[in-house]
PDB file of all heavy atoms in Angstrom:
ATOM      1  N   THR A   1      25.077-129.625 145.396  1.00  0.00           N
ATOM      2  CA  THR A   1      25.376-131.003 145.006  1.00  0.00           C
ATOM      3  C   THR A   1      24.137-131.885 144.962  1.00  0.00           C
ATOM      4  O   THR A   1      24.121-132.894 144.276  1.00  0.00           O
ATOM      5  CB  THR A   1      26.410-131.626 145.962  1.00  0.00           C
ATOM      6  OG1 THR A   1      25.922-131.515 147.297  1.00  0.00           O
ATOM      7  CG2 THR A   1      27.746-130.913 145.855  1.00  0.00           C
ATOM      8  N   ASP A   2      23.070-131.515 145.690  1.00  0.00           N
ATOM      9  CA  ASP A   2      21.849-132.322 145.692  1.00  0.00           C
ATOM     10  C   ASP A   2      20.922-131.973 144.528  1.00  0.00           C
ATOM     11  O   ASP A   2      19.804-132.458 144.453  1.00  0.00           O
ATOM     12  CB  ASP A   2      21.114-132.187 147.027  1.00  0.00           C
ATOM     13  CG  ASP A   2      20.639-130.766 147.301  1.00  0.00           C
ATOM     14  OD1 ASP A   2      20.831-129.866 146.447  1.00  0.00           O
ATOM     15  OD2 ASP A   2      20.066-130.545 148.396  1.00  0.00           O
ATOM     16  N   GLY A   3      21.385-131.086 143.619  1.00  0.00           N
ATOM     17  CA  GLY A   3      20.582-130.738 142.447  1.00  0.00           C
ATOM     18  C   GLY A   3      19.766-129.468 142.606  1.00  0.00           C
ATOM     19  O   GLY A   3      19.165-128.999 141.647  1.00  0.00           O
ATOM     20  N   GLN A   4      19.722-128.894 143.796  1.00  0.00           N
ATOM     21  CA  GLN A   4      18.983-127.652 143.993  1.00  0.00           C
ATOM     22  C   GLN A   4      19.782-126.480 143.441  1.00  0.00           C
ATOM     23  O   GLN A   4      21.002-126.525 143.371  1.00  0.00           O
ATOM     24  CB  GLN A   4      18.691-127.419 145.474  1.00  0.00           C
ATOM     25  CG  GLN A   4      17.766-128.466 146.083  1.00  0.00           C
ATOM     26  CD  GLN A   4      17.461-128.150 147.518  1.00  0.00           C
ATOM     27  OE1 GLN A   4      16.863-127.122 147.814  1.00  0.00           O
ATOM     28  NE2 GLN A   4      17.889-129.018 148.425  1.00  0.00           N
ATOM     29  N   GLU A   5      19.053-125.413 143.069  1.00  0.00           N
ATOM     30  CA  GLU A   5      19.674-124.184 142.574  1.00  0.00           C
ATOM     31  C   GLU A   5      19.079-122.995 143.305  1.00  0.00           C
ATOM     32  O   GLU A   5      17.915-123.025 143.691  1.00  0.00           O
ATOM     33  CB  GLU A   5      19.395-123.998 141.075  1.00  0.00           C
ATOM     34  CG  GLU A   5      19.994-125.044 140.185  1.00  0.00           C
ATOM     35  CD  GLU A   5      19.674-124.791 138.712  1.00  0.00           C
ATOM     36  OE1 GLU A   5      19.198-123.689 138.364  1.00  0.00           O
ATOM     37  OE2 GLU A   5      19.903-125.712 137.908  1.00  0.00           O
ATOM     38  N   GLU A   6      19.891-121.962 143.453  1.00  0.00           N
ATOM     39  CA  GLU A   6      19.411-120.719 144.059  1.00  0.00           C
ATOM     40  C   GLU A   6      20.030-119.566 143.291  1.00  0.00           C
ATOM     41  O   GLU A   6      21.238-119.546 143.066  1.00  0.00           O
ATOM     42  CB  GLU A   6      19.832-120.654 145.526  1.00  0.00           C
ATOM     43  CG  GLU A   6      19.493-119.340 146.201  1.00  0.00           C
ATOM     44  CD  GLU A   6      20.056-119.266 147.615  1.00  0.00           C
ATOM     45  OE1 GLU A   6      21.294-119.115 147.743  1.00  0.00           O
ATOM     46  OE2 GLU A   6      19.267-119.357 148.557  1.00  0.00           O
ATOM     47  N   SER A   7      19.190-118.607 142.857  1.00  0.00           N
ATOM     48  CA  SER A   7      19.676-117.410 142.175  1.00  0.00           C
ATOM     49  C   SER A   7      19.259-116.201 142.990  1.00  0.00           C
ATOM     50  O   SER A   7      18.102-116.086 143.401  1.00  0.00           O
ATOM     51  CB  SER A   7      19.089-117.298 140.765  1.00  0.00           C
ATOM     52  OG  SER A   7      19.533-118.382 139.970  1.00  0.00           O
ATOM     53  N   ILE A   8      20.226-115.309 143.218  1.00  0.00           N
ATOM     54  CA  ILE A   8      19.957-114.080 143.954  1.00  0.00           C
ATOM     55  C   ILE A   8      20.224-112.935 142.986  1.00  0.00           C
ATOM     56  O   ILE A   8      21.349-112.746 142.523  1.00  0.00           O
ATOM     57  CB  ILE A   8      20.860-113.971 145.205  1.00  0.00           C
ATOM     58  CG1 ILE A   8      20.661-115.206 146.091  1.00  0.00           C
ATOM     59  CG2 ILE A   8      20.559-112.687 145.968  1.00  0.00           C
ATOM     60  CD1 ILE A   8      21.709-115.372 147.171  1.00  0.00           C
ATOM     61  N   PHE A   9      19.161-112.167 142.676  1.00  0.00           N
ATOM     62  CA  PHE A   9      19.267-111.098 141.691  1.00  0.00           C
ATOM     63  C   PHE A   9      19.617-109.781 142.372  1.00  0.00           C
ATOM     64  O   PHE A   9      19.346-109.601 143.569  1.00  0.00           O
ATOM     65  CB  PHE A   9      17.946-110.991 140.910  1.00  0.00           C
ATOM     66  CG  PHE A   9      17.683-112.208 140.065  1.00  0.00           C
ATOM     67  CD1 PHE A   9      16.978-113.289 140.578  1.00  0.00           C
ATOM     68  CD2 PHE A   9      18.169-112.288 138.770  1.00  0.00           C
ATOM     69  CE1 PHE A   9      16.752-114.428 139.818  1.00  0.00           C
ATOM     70  CE2 PHE A   9      17.952-113.423 138.001  1.00  0.00           C
ATOM     71  CZ  PHE A   9      17.241-114.485 138.521  1.00  0.00           C
ATOM     72  N   PRO A  10      20.194-108.839 141.622  1.00  0.00           N
ATOM     73  CA  PRO A  10      20.617-107.559 142.211  1.00  0.00           C
ATOM     74  C   PRO A  10      19.488-106.797 142.913  1.00  0.00           C
ATOM     75  O   PRO A  10      19.749-106.066 143.859  1.00  0.00           O
ATOM     76  CB  PRO A  10      21.140-106.765 141.012  1.00  0.00           C
ATOM     77  CG  PRO A  10      21.572-107.808 140.032  1.00  0.00           C
ATOM     78  CD  PRO A  10      20.604-108.945 140.215  1.00  0.00           C
ATOM     79  N   ASP A  11      18.228-106.992 142.466  1.00  0.00           N
ATOM     80  CA  ASP A  11      17.111-106.280 143.112  1.00  0.00           C
ATOM     81  C   ASP A  11      16.640-106.959 144.394  1.00  0.00           C
ATOM     82  O   ASP A  11      15.697-106.508 145.032  1.00  0.00           O
ATOM     83  CB  ASP A  11      15.937-106.118 142.147  1.00  0.00           C
ATOM     84  CG  ASP A  11      15.241-107.436 141.808  1.00  0.00           C
ATOM     85  OD1 ASP A  11      15.688-108.513 142.277  1.00  0.00           O
ATOM     86  OD2 ASP A  11      14.230-107.386 141.079  1.00  0.00           O
ATOM     87  N   GLY A  12      17.288-108.063 144.783  1.00  0.00           N
ATOM     88  CA  GLY A  12      16.927-108.761 146.019  1.00  0.00           C
ATOM     89  C   GLY A  12      16.015-109.956 145.805  1.00  0.00           C
ATOM     90  O   GLY A  12      15.747-110.705 146.746  1.00  0.00           O
ATOM     91  N   THR A  13      15.523-110.153 144.590  1.00  0.00           N
ATOM     92  CA  THR A  13      14.677-111.308 144.290  1.00  0.00           C
ATOM     93  C   THR A  13      15.513-112.587 144.411  1.00  0.00           C
ATOM     94  O   THR A  13      16.650-112.624 143.960  1.00  0.00           O
ATOM     95  CB  THR A  13      14.086-111.207 142.869  1.00  0.00           C
ATOM     96  OG1 THR A  13      13.309-110.010 142.784  1.00  0.00           O
ATOM     97  CG2 THR A  13      13.207-112.404 142.537  1.00  0.00           C
ATOM     98  N   ILE A  14      14.928-113.617 145.042  1.00  0.00           N
ATOM     99  CA  ILE A  14      15.612-114.904 145.203  1.00  0.00           C
ATOM    100  C   ILE A  14      14.754-115.984 144.550  1.00  0.00           C
ATOM    101  O   ILE A  14      13.564-116.082 144.830  1.00  0.00           O
ATOM    102  CB  ILE A  14      15.827-115.238 146.692  1.00  0.00           C
ATOM    103  CG1 ILE A  14      16.697-114.165 147.349  1.00  0.00           C
ATOM    104  CG2 ILE A  14      16.480-116.616 146.845  1.00  0.00           C
ATOM    105  CD1 ILE A  14      16.807-114.296 148.856  1.00  0.00           C
ATOM    106  N   VAL A  15      15.366-116.784 143.685  1.00  0.00           N
ATOM    107  CA  VAL A  15      14.668-117.899 143.028  1.00  0.00           C
ATOM    108  C   VAL A  15      15.364-119.187 143.457  1.00  0.00           C
ATOM    109  O   VAL A  15      16.572-119.323 143.309  1.00  0.00           O
ATOM    110  CB  VAL A  15      14.705-117.770 141.487  1.00  0.00           C
ATOM    111  CG1 VAL A  15      14.036-118.973 140.830  1.00  0.00           C
ATOM    112  CG2 VAL A  15      14.049-116.473 141.039  1.00  0.00           C
ATOM    113  N   ARG A  16      14.561-120.113 144.008  1.00  0.00           N
ATOM    114  CA  ARG A  16      15.093-121.419 144.401  1.00  0.00           C
ATOM    115  C   ARG A  16      14.399-122.489 143.577  1.00  0.00           C
ATOM    116  O   ARG A  16      13.179-122.507 143.497  1.00  0.00           O
ATOM    117  CB  ARG A  16      14.853-121.657 145.891  1.00  0.00           C
ATOM    118  CG  ARG A  16      15.675-120.757 146.773  1.00  0.00           C
ATOM    119  CD  ARG A  16      15.504-121.086 148.261  1.00  0.00           C
ATOM    120  NE  ARG A  16      16.289-120.194 149.069  1.00  0.00           N
ATOM    121  CZ  ARG A  16      15.846-119.054 149.589  1.00  0.00           C
ATOM    122  NH1 ARG A  16      14.614-118.693 149.393  1.00  0.00           N
ATOM    123  NH2 ARG A  16      16.660-118.286 150.308  1.00  0.00           N
ATOM    124  N   VAL A  17      15.193-123.391 142.978  1.00  0.00           N
ATOM    125  CA  VAL A  17      14.650-124.478 142.169  1.00  0.00           C
ATOM    126  C   VAL A  17      15.029-125.786 142.852  1.00  0.00           C
ATOM    127  O   VAL A  17      16.198-126.037 143.123  1.00  0.00           O
ATOM    128  CB  VAL A  17      15.207-124.444 140.724  1.00  0.00           C
ATOM    129  CG1 VAL A  17      14.608-125.574 139.898  1.00  0.00           C
ATOM    130  CG2 VAL A  17      14.931-123.091 140.076  1.00  0.00           C
ATOM    131  N   GLN A  18      14.016-126.611 143.126  1.00  0.00           N
ATOM    132  CA  GLN A  18      14.242-127.907 143.766  1.00  0.00           C
ATOM    133  C   GLN A  18      14.555-128.957 142.712  1.00  0.00           C
ATOM    134  O   GLN A  18      14.368-128.741 141.515  1.00  0.00           O
ATOM    135  CB  GLN A  18      12.988-128.329 144.565  1.00  0.00           C
ATOM    136  CG  GLN A  18      12.533-127.311 145.595  1.00  0.00           C
ATOM    137  CD  GLN A  18      13.598-126.992 146.620  1.00  0.00           C
ATOM    138  OE1 GLN A  18      14.272-127.874 147.125  1.00  0.00           O
ATOM    139  NE2 GLN A  18      13.774-125.712 146.913  1.00  0.00           N
ATOM    140  N   ARG A  19      15.000-130.113 143.154  1.00  0.00           N
ATOM    141  CA  ARG A  19      15.341-131.191 142.221  1.00  0.00           C
ATOM    142  C   ARG A  19      14.151-131.618 141.379  1.00  0.00           C
ATOM    143  O   ARG A  19      14.316-132.033 140.227  1.00  0.00           O
ATOM    144  CB  ARG A  19      15.876-132.403 142.986  1.00  0.00           C
ATOM    145  CG  ARG A  19      17.269-132.174 143.480  1.00  0.00           C
ATOM    146  CD  ARG A  19      17.946-133.394 144.030  1.00  0.00           C
ATOM    147  NE  ARG A  19      17.104-134.541 144.242  1.00  0.00           N
ATOM    148  CZ  ARG A  19      17.308-135.451 145.153  1.00  0.00           C
ATOM    149  NH1 ARG A  19      18.339-135.357 145.954  1.00  0.00           N
ATOM    150  NH2 ARG A  19      16.511-136.477 145.289  1.00  0.00           N
ATOM    151  N   ASP A  20      12.933-131.559 141.937  1.00  0.00           N
ATOM    152  CA  ASP A  20      11.740-131.978 141.197  1.00  0.00           C
ATOM    153  C   ASP A  20      11.267-130.918 140.203  1.00  0.00           C
ATOM    154  O   ASP A  20      10.266-131.104 139.526  1.00  0.00           O
ATOM    155  CB  ASP A  20      10.609-132.342 142.168  1.00  0.00           C
ATOM    156  CG  ASP A  20      10.100-131.156 142.983  1.00  0.00           C
ATOM    157  OD1 ASP A  20      10.578-130.013 142.787  1.00  0.00           O
ATOM    158  OD2 ASP A  20       9.204-131.382 143.833  1.00  0.00           O
ATOM    159  N   GLY A  21      11.984-129.780 140.133  1.00  0.00           N
ATOM    160  CA  GLY A  21      11.627-128.719 139.185  1.00  0.00           C
ATOM    161  C   GLY A  21      10.732-127.661 139.780  1.00  0.00           C
ATOM    162  O   GLY A  21      10.496-126.629 139.153  1.00  0.00           O
ATOM    163  N   SER A  22      10.201-127.890 140.997  1.00  0.00           N
ATOM    164  CA  SER A  22       9.367-126.856 141.605  1.00  0.00           C
ATOM    165  C   SER A  22      10.247-125.654 141.938  1.00  0.00           C
ATOM    166  O   SER A  22      11.443-125.785 142.196  1.00  0.00           O
ATOM    167  CB  SER A  22       8.652-127.376 142.851  1.00  0.00           C
ATOM    168  OG  SER A  22       9.575-127.742 143.850  1.00  0.00           O
ATOM    169  N   LYS A  23       9.622-124.469 141.893  1.00  0.00           N
ATOM    170  CA  LYS A  23      10.379-123.234 142.005  1.00  0.00           C
ATOM    171  C   LYS A  23       9.706-122.311 143.017  1.00  0.00           C
ATOM    172  O   LYS A  23       8.479-122.185 143.020  1.00  0.00           O
ATOM    173  CB  LYS A  23      10.409-122.570 140.632  1.00  0.00           C
ATOM    174  CG  LYS A  23      11.219-121.315 140.523  1.00  0.00           C
ATOM    175  CD  LYS A  23      11.079-120.644 139.159  1.00  0.00           C
ATOM    176  CE  LYS A  23      11.571-121.502 138.030  1.00  0.00           C
ATOM    177  NZ  LYS A  23      11.538-120.783 136.730  1.00  0.00           N
ATOM    178  N   THR A  24      10.505-121.688 143.876  1.00  0.00           N
ATOM    179  CA  THR A  24      10.014-120.678 144.808  1.00  0.00           C
ATOM    180  C   THR A  24      10.702-119.366 144.462  1.00  0.00           C
ATOM    181  O   THR A  24      11.920-119.321 144.306  1.00  0.00           O
ATOM    182  CB  THR A  24      10.356-121.047 146.268  1.00  0.00           C
ATOM    183  OG1 THR A  24       9.831-122.345 146.549  1.00  0.00           O
ATOM    184  CG2 THR A  24       9.772-120.055 147.243  1.00  0.00           C
ATOM    185  N   ILE A  25       9.896-118.309 144.323  1.00  0.00           N
ATOM    186  CA  ILE A  25      10.439-116.984 144.023  1.00  0.00           C
ATOM    187  C   ILE A  25      10.049-116.057 145.167  1.00  0.00           C
ATOM    188  O   ILE A  25       8.866-115.937 145.496  1.00  0.00           O
ATOM    189  CB  ILE A  25       9.875-116.435 142.695  1.00  0.00           C
ATOM    190  CG1 ILE A  25      10.125-117.436 141.565  1.00  0.00           C
ATOM    191  CG2 ILE A  25      10.479-115.064 142.384  1.00  0.00           C
ATOM    192  CD1 ILE A  25       9.363-117.143 140.293  1.00  0.00           C
ATOM    193  N   GLU A  26      11.042-115.432 145.782  1.00  0.00           N
ATOM    194  CA  GLU A  26      10.793-114.464 146.848  1.00  0.00           C
ATOM    195  C   GLU A  26      11.147-113.090 146.299  1.00  0.00           C
ATOM    196  O   GLU A  26      12.297-112.827 145.958  1.00  0.00           O
ATOM    197  CB  GLU A  26      11.636-114.792 148.080  1.00  0.00           C
ATOM    198  CG  GLU A  26      11.269-116.120 148.706  1.00  0.00           C
ATOM    199  CD  GLU A  26      12.192-116.516 149.855  1.00  0.00           C
ATOM    200  OE1 GLU A  26      12.976-115.662 150.327  1.00  0.00           O
ATOM    201  OE2 GLU A  26      12.125-117.678 150.266  1.00  0.00           O
ATOM    202  N   PHE A  27      10.121-112.217 146.211  1.00  0.00           N
ATOM    203  CA  PHE A  27      10.333-110.877 145.663  1.00  0.00           C
ATOM    204  C   PHE A  27      10.701-109.914 146.785  1.00  0.00           C
ATOM    205  O   PHE A  27      10.346-110.121 147.949  1.00  0.00           O
ATOM    206  CB  PHE A  27       9.060-110.399 144.950  1.00  0.00           C
ATOM    207  CG  PHE A  27       8.706-111.251 143.763  1.00  0.00           C
ATOM    208  CD1 PHE A  27       7.788-112.297 143.892  1.00  0.00           C
ATOM    209  CD2 PHE A  27       9.275-111.030 142.521  1.00  0.00           C
ATOM    210  CE1 PHE A  27       7.459-113.094 142.809  1.00  0.00           C
ATOM    211  CE2 PHE A  27       8.952-111.821 141.436  1.00  0.00           C
ATOM    212  CZ  PHE A  27       8.039-112.851 141.579  1.00  0.00           C
ATOM    213  N   ASN A  28      11.363-108.832 146.422  1.00  0.00           N
ATOM    214  CA  ASN A  28      11.790-107.867 147.435  1.00  0.00           C
ATOM    215  C   ASN A  28      10.634-107.049 148.013  1.00  0.00           C
ATOM    216  O   ASN A  28      10.803-106.350 149.001  1.00  0.00           O
ATOM    217  CB  ASN A  28      12.890-106.940 146.883  1.00  0.00           C
ATOM    218  CG  ASN A  28      12.427-106.132 145.684  1.00  0.00           C
ATOM    219  OD1 ASN A  28      11.260-106.177 145.303  1.00  0.00           O
ATOM    220  ND2 ASN A  28      13.350-105.411 145.082  1.00  0.00           N
ATOM    221  N   ASN A  29       9.430-107.163 147.437  1.00  0.00           N
ATOM    222  CA  ASN A  29       8.262-106.459 147.965  1.00  0.00           C
ATOM    223  C   ASN A  29       7.460-107.319 148.952  1.00  0.00           C
ATOM    224  O   ASN A  29       6.368-106.951 149.363  1.00  0.00           O
ATOM    225  CB  ASN A  29       7.354-105.986 146.825  1.00  0.00           C
ATOM    226  CG  ASN A  29       6.790-107.134 145.994  1.00  0.00           C
ATOM    227  OD1 ASN A  29       7.002-108.307 146.308  1.00  0.00           O
ATOM    228  ND2 ASN A  29       6.075-106.792 144.934  1.00  0.00           N
ATOM    229  N   GLY A  30       8.017-108.480 149.308  1.00  0.00           N
ATOM    230  CA  GLY A  30       7.353-109.355 150.275  1.00  0.00           C
ATOM    231  C   GLY A  30       6.475-110.419 149.648  1.00  0.00           C
ATOM    232  O   GLY A  30       5.998-111.317 150.343  1.00  0.00           O
ATOM    233  N   GLN A  31       6.234-110.328 148.359  1.00  0.00           N
ATOM    234  CA  GLN A  31       5.437-111.349 147.692  1.00  0.00           C
ATOM    235  C   GLN A  31       6.287-112.591 147.454  1.00  0.00           C
ATOM    236  O   GLN A  31       7.503-112.524 147.397  1.00  0.00           O
ATOM    237  CB  GLN A  31       4.891-110.834 146.354  1.00  0.00           C
ATOM    238  CG  GLN A  31       3.907-109.695 146.520  1.00  0.00           C
ATOM    239  CD  GLN A  31       3.375-109.225 145.177  1.00  0.00           C
ATOM    240  OE1 GLN A  31       3.439-109.921 144.170  1.00  0.00           O
ATOM    241  NE2 GLN A  31       2.824-108.010 145.173  1.00  0.00           N
ATOM    242  N   ARG A  32       5.584-113.720 147.325  1.00  0.00           N
ATOM    243  CA  ARG A  32       6.250-114.998 147.146  1.00  0.00           C
ATOM    244  C   ARG A  32       5.469-115.798 146.117  1.00  0.00           C
ATOM    245  O   ARG A  32       4.243-115.767 146.116  1.00  0.00           O
ATOM    246  CB  ARG A  32       6.220-115.702 148.506  1.00  0.00           C
ATOM    247  CG  ARG A  32       7.229-116.747 148.695  1.00  0.00           C
ATOM    248  CD  ARG A  32       7.289-117.139 150.190  1.00  0.00           C
ATOM    249  NE  ARG A  32       8.027-118.365 150.269  1.00  0.00           N
ATOM    250  CZ  ARG A  32       7.498-119.549 150.509  1.00  0.00           C
ATOM    251  NH1 ARG A  32       6.234-119.667 150.785  1.00  0.00           N
ATOM    252  NH2 ARG A  32       8.246-120.622 150.503  1.00  0.00           N
ATOM    253  N   GLU A  33       6.179-116.511 145.250  1.00  0.00           N
ATOM    254  CA  GLU A  33       5.520-117.378 144.271  1.00  0.00           C
ATOM    255  C   GLU A  33       6.056-118.786 144.395  1.00  0.00           C
ATOM    256  O   GLU A  33       7.226-118.985 144.678  1.00  0.00           O
ATOM    257  CB  GLU A  33       5.782-116.885 142.837  1.00  0.00           C
ATOM    258  CG  GLU A  33       4.688-116.031 142.300  1.00  0.00           C
ATOM    259  CD  GLU A  33       4.842-115.695 140.820  1.00  0.00           C
ATOM    260  OE1 GLU A  33       5.400-116.512 140.047  1.00  0.00           O
ATOM    261  OE2 GLU A  33       4.383-114.618 140.452  1.00  0.00           O
ATOM    262  N   LEU A  34       5.157-119.744 144.178  1.00  0.00           N
ATOM    263  CA  LEU A  34       5.527-121.154 144.159  1.00  0.00           C
ATOM    264  C   LEU A  34       5.033-121.729 142.841  1.00  0.00           C
ATOM    265  O   LEU A  34       3.855-121.586 142.509  1.00  0.00           O
ATOM    266  CB  LEU A  34       4.892-121.890 145.345  1.00  0.00           C
ATOM    267  CG  LEU A  34       5.123-123.390 145.428  1.00  0.00           C
ATOM    268  CD1 LEU A  34       6.613-123.698 145.578  1.00  0.00           C
ATOM    269  CD2 LEU A  34       4.359-123.986 146.605  1.00  0.00           C
TER     270      LEU A  34
END
């Protein structure tokens, strides 16, 4: 409801999008992207 989004993919990758459009991606190999 606050505008944030979270997607969880079958391979375990998680993508979170904040209201300001910034995005965090957590990969199943331990890597992370902002």
Side-chain angles (χ1 to χ4, degrees):
T1 55
D2 63 2
Q4 295 183 63
E5 296 180 13
E6 174 186 73
S7 296
I8 303 167
F9 294 90
D11 69 357
T13 300
I14 299 172
V15 177
R16 291 185 181 92
V17 181
Q18 304 302 317
R19 286 190 349 209
D20 65 2
S22 63
K23 184 186 298 185
T24 304
I25 305 168
E26 296 175 12
F27 297 95
N28 61 5
N29 62 5
Q31 295 181 19
R32 202 167 166 254
E33 264 188 31
L34 177 62

